[in-house]
Amino acid sequence: MKKALITGITGQDGSYLAELLLEKGYEVYGIMRRKSTLDYGNIDHLIGAEHLHLIYADMTDFVSLVNAMRESDADEVYNLAAQSFVATSWEQPLATAEIDAVGVTNMLEAIKLVKPSCRFYQASTSEMFGLVQEIPQKETTPFYPRSPYGVAKLYGHWITKNYRESYNMYACSGILFNHESERRGKEFVTRKITDAAARIAAGKQDCLELGNMEAKRDWGHSKDYVRAMWLMLQQDTPDDYVVATGETRMVREFVDAAFEALDIALEWHGEGADEYATNKANGKTVVKVNPKFFRPAEVELLLGDPTKAEKELGWEREIDFKELVTRMVLADKERVSHE
Ligand code: NAP
Ligand code: GDD
């Protein structure tokens, strides 16, 4: 029975990955942070599972990661823990760097010390492309991060490559483009939209306020993307891979699709900070721009080329954009109906 250690197991990706590895017969260990109230986040439904073990640890505490390696004796480590919200990285740049950058070195050092044969996956990100130097972005595209988060993640990316080259460790990075799900945090734009659309349709909210409507993202489903993480650790040699859909859409298009899934047609008016959308059926304003959600520096366009992952890993996505939006909206509709 293989043993895997997942950092960030309570998050969106950590929960889907834990489900996948349990299905595959792994002994799954996850690290979680101590909180003032006990909160298992997205793995609440897995608590009590026979092959799931939780260990208290923190990415900023090297000793706790050494202990996690000793206790799990992991064959594979998936490093998903991060301060993952880009907007917060301007408010907490140092914490973001400690967790998302130095934390990766802490984990790699713990592996090197306890079990250097353990395979390592690093959660790298399309945010490293930032001010994009090429369209679409692939493994060879130069990086140009645009936020403290992107800069910290770029360090994590390079230190992973460096440990692979310096110590011959099986360490690789998945450069994952945006992936969402019913378990996405409500501060991220997709979930903020589907949650608000469901509440507006139910008469529990009047209006949704957003920032940059023109930003373009390559959105997939988390469940598809965690499969790519696992595949990366099953190869003969470690390498880095872009994981994306190869399609990009504006935030405005996501808004339209979410309301459409609830049979609400929108009409758009104005532009920039004055843009808003009304419900065609009754003329009410249901979406408007609030400049407080604009970012100090924006990533305007992300579009990934997943060819290498498709060819070398045999990875394929199963959930398309329409299904992604529909799943998220219907889950929020169901939840809102019980509020
Ligand atoms: P998420 O839902 O925000 O989950 C982040 C996880 O990290 C949570 O379990 C969180 O624990 C944990 N964490 C945060 N700080 C920690 C610390 N100091 N010590 C230990 N654990 C800590 O993020 P996600 O969407 O699943 O993303 C997973 C990873 O992929 C992240 O590294 C993210 O940066 C990266 N990524 C995500 C995307 C995407 O579109 N989703 C794309 C590319 C890369 P708590 O529950 O205690 O907060
Ligand atoms: N969150 C948020 N809230 N974003 C908004 C809003 C709003 O009200 N209005 C417009 N946006 C725009 C943001 O400015 C950004 O251009 C885009 O919507 C997506 O924002 P997020 O959903 O917060 O995600 P992100 O792209 O910044 O970061 C996510 O994807 C990265 C991969 O590219 C996160 O999951 C990162 O952890 C991940 O690395």
Side-chain angles (χ1 to χ4, degrees), residues 97 104 139 162 230 269 309:
V104 186
E139 292 78 3
N162 181 260
W230 176 78
H269 315 267

Side-chain angles (χ1 to χ4, degrees), residues 138-195:
K138 46 185 186 282
E139 292 78 3
T140 50
T141 302
F143 298 118
Y144 194 137
R146 292 272 281 172
S147 63
Y149 168 81
V151 174
K153 281 284 184 179
L154 190 52
Y155 172 92
H157 184 77
W158 280 107
I159 201 71
T160 300
K161 206 176 168 82
N162 181 260
Y163 271 52
R164 178 165 80 216
E165 293 172 0
S166 303
Y167 304 115
N168 202 23
M169 285 168 71
Y170 192 113
C172 52
S173 292
I175 306 173
L176 270 50
F177 282 63
N178 296 52
H179 45 282
E180 319 293 313
S181 75
E182 306 84 302
R183 299 179 191 171
R184 187 61 143 152
K186 283 190 194 165
E187 68 275 40
F188 298 94
V189 78
T190 55
R191 185 72 198 290
K192 182 174 170 183
I193 294 167
T194 60
D195 177 61

Side-chain angles (χ1 to χ4, degrees), residues 52-65:
L52 177 71
H53 314 271
L54 295 174
I55 302 168
Y56 280 111
D58 193 295
M59 295 310 294
T60 60
D61 184 332
F62 174 66
V63 171
S64 71
L65 298 179

Side-chain angles (χ1 to χ4, degrees), residues 12 82-87 123-128 149 153 176-180 184 186-192 208-219 251 290 293-295 298-300 302:
Q12 171 188 257
Q83 190 301 95
S84 72
F85 189 41
V86 172
S124 286
T125 165
S126 48
E127 273 290 305
M128 302 186 307
Y149 168 81
K153 281 284 184 179
L176 270 50
F177 282 63
N178 296 52
H179 45 282
E180 319 293 313
R184 187 61 143 152
K186 283 190 194 165
E187 68 275 40
F188 298 94
V189 78
T190 55
R191 185 72 198 290
K192 182 174 170 183
L208 161 66
E209 292 189 347
L210 293 170
N212 183 3
M213 295 285 193
E214 306 272 319
K216 286 180 153 181
R217 288 293 182 274
D218 179 328
W219 281 298
V251 170
N290 183 339
F293 296 111
F294 291 162
R295 293 176 178 181
E298 179 62 286
V299 173
E300 295 290 352
L302 290 177

